[in-house]
Amino acid sequence: MLTLAELLHPITPDRFMADYHDRKPLHIPAGASSTKARIFDWDRLNGLLAQSAIWTAANLKLVRDGAPIPPDQYCTRVRTPTGEAQRPAPARVDVFLSTGASLIADDIQSLTPELAALADMLSRTFGASVGANAYASFGGVQAFGTHFDLHDVFAVHISGEKTWQLYESRADTPVTMPGGGDPRPYFQQTRGPLMQSVRMRPGDVLYLPRGWYHDALADGPVSGGNASLHVTFSVAALYGRIIFGLLETMAMQDPAFRAYMPPAQMDGGAALQRHLADLGQRLAALAASPGFRDTLAGKQAELAPRLPAYGLPVRKPLTLLRPTGAAPPAATGPLAEALQWAFSQPTFALEDLCAEFDTVDEAALRTAVAAAEADGALKRV
């Protein structure tokens, strides 16, 4: 499993956070080592593509000369036990690849242990939802024109070579793409002058903050077949919009937010003004409270559930416990919520607690339960 320090080496995580994160692009050449490229390869991509049941037109796409190829040109309708599905037809896909189309395999972050581990690390580091897409391209045919993304990007180059063009413009914290039909003319007009050309080779890493204008073209040597493969990890952290729903849920527990508002004409509007000012102060206090912080921390934790770890054919034993009536250990954030659930049960299994709260660090859960058992707040059944 790559750590953040290993992914960014020789840039340290501290320097990355201070100088680059959400500020400017960073190209990290592989140098003499291409270790980072080992997270994926052509054989693993081919193996995944051969599992036809996991692919649909939504997660396996073909693009050529900046335009998506319509799914009905490379997919067929098939009957499955759960109904009809539109599946890519391998022979049709091969024909389009032969013409230079690029292949994009979306949402592959959980399909291999290496990709899952790296996605999990990024998710926990940045408190973000992380996806991984594989891009297979061929020299001289561009998949996407200039554009920006609505998330941060870590691109790990796997095979071949590709030139990324980075432009001077950056969209200001975008959360939606420009509307009004085809966005390509808009991107061309607003990308600004060329800032940097980055030649990506196996093991190279490229970080792009969200909103940064870029495009890319596979243009490796003919001797290598002009084929290029890279994996991009999209890092989408929570932003301010989420607090509105959370504040509403928590604020409605306060009777002040359930009270009727004074008529606008009362006291020349002064009564309504006072009422709104009071609600605003209550919202500010709620947003600054440790409880609200813990709720938001729980939402971040939900973005990075534990990686699966099956151990068949072993049937794992259950550790049954019951509260004794003594106070549970002090905790904050998602751990506090998990312990509150455990101590509300007449009897519970430690393994069930870990399963119920799969976004809470399992080691922290087990340590807290062990401490409660040592203090006499829990007793084994």
Side-chain angles (χ1 to χ4, degrees):
M1 170 181 174
L2 284 176
T3 65
L4 184 64
E6 290 168 336
L7 179 67
L8 299 175
H9 181 78
I11 304 297
T12 66
D14 286 345
R15 185 185 169 200
F16 172 77
M17 296 303 292
D19 296 341
Y20 296 97
H21 182 240
D22 200 28
R23 289 175 177 82
K24 58 184 178 180
L26 172 64
H27 174 222
I28 306 173
S33 172
S34 59
T35 302
K36 299 168 192 176
R38 296 175 189 168
I39 64 167
F40 203 57
D41 57 30
W42 289 108
D43 285 342
R44 276 177 278 194
L45 175 61
N46 288 327
L48 293 179
L49 294 176
Q51 300 179 49
S52 57
I54 67 176
W55 302 109
T56 67
N59 62 2
L60 189 66
K61 302 168 185 173
L62 297 176
V63 180
R64 186 175 55 197
D65 296 327
I69 294 173
D72 59 5
Q73 294 186 24
Y74 67 93
C75 294
T76 57
R77 290 280 178 183
V78 298
R79 292 190 177 277
T80 73
T82 58
E84 195 175 73
Q86 192 177 32
R87 292 257 169 82
R92 293 186 184 181
V93 171
D94 268 342
V95 170
F96 279 105
L97 296 180
S98 295
T99 68
S102 292
L103 180 145
I104 300 98
D106 287 344
D107 298 324
I108 63 171
Q109 64 275 2
S110 63
L111 299 185
T112 76
E114 295 84 2
L115 296 178
L118 184 48
D120 180 71
M121 181 276 290
L122 291 172
S123 181
R124 296 183 186 281
T125 299
F126 297 101
S129 173
V130 175
N133 299 340
Y135 293 80
S137 304
F138 300 92
V141 183
Q142 191 168 46
F144 296 102
T146 305
H147 65 284
F148 59 74
D149 294 305
L150 305 179
H151 46 255
D152 284 5
V153 167
F154 287 89
V156 182
H157 203 77
I158 305 300
S159 179
E161 296 182 10
K162 196 168 210 175
T163 298
W164 293 60
Q165 307 271 43
L166 312 184
Y167 299 89
E168 291 186 359
S169 291
R170 182 188 181 187
D172 185 13
T173 56
V175 295
T176 58
M177 284 295 182
D182 186 355
R184 287 178 292 180
Y186 173 84
F187 289 137
Q188 289 285 337
Q189 295 165 9
T190 58
R191 68 185 184 183
L194 178 66
M195 181 186 77
Q196 181 182 5
S197 290
V198 175
R199 185 77 162 183
M200 294 285 284
R201 296 179 173 88
D204 284 11
V205 174
L206 178 64
Y207 165 74
L208 294 177
R210 70 165 165 165
W212 209 282
Y213 283 73
H214 63 279
D215 55 50
L217 178 66
D219 53 0
V222 175
S223 59
N226 290 111
S228 167
L229 176 64
H230 75 274
V231 179
T232 63
F233 292 84
S234 58
V235 181
L238 301 178
Y239 61 96
R241 179 182 289 174
I242 192 175
I243 72 170
F244 297 113
L246 297 179
L247 281 174
E248 179 182 8
T249 299
M250 297 182 71
M252 290 308 294
Q253 300 174 29
D254 182 347
F257 287 93
R258 303 197 300 269
Y260 290 153
M261 292 189 178
Q265 66 272 19
M266 182 180 291
D267 295 336
L272 180 57
Q273 187 64 54
R274 287 192 299 272
H275 187 81
L276 292 175
D278 176 64
L279 295 183
Q281 291 172 358
R282 290 171 184 267
L283 281 176
L286 181 58
S289 68
F292 189 74
R293 176 205 61 204
D294 290 347
T295 298
L296 189 54
K299 291 298 180 183
Q300 289 180 327
E302 289 175 6
L303 300 176
R306 280 184 230 114
L307 294 175
Y310 290 101
L312 294 174
V314 175
R315 188 177 70 171
K316 298 175 182 178
L318 297 178
T319 307
L320 298 177
L321 301 120
R322 65 174 177 82
T324 64
T332 61
L335 181 59
E337 183 183 356
L339 291 178
Q340 182 181 11
W341 177 87
F343 276 78
S344 70
Q345 309 297 314
T347 302
F348 69 93
L350 173 58
E351 293 73 19
D352 190 26
L353 173 66
C354 294
E356 186 74 19
F357 294 89
D358 66 342
T359 60
V360 180
D361 181 69
E362 185 173 353
L365 274 176
R366 290 182 176 274
T367 298
V369 168
E373 190 177 1
D375 290 343
L378 290 174
K379 183 177 180 179
R380 297 211 177 198
V381 176

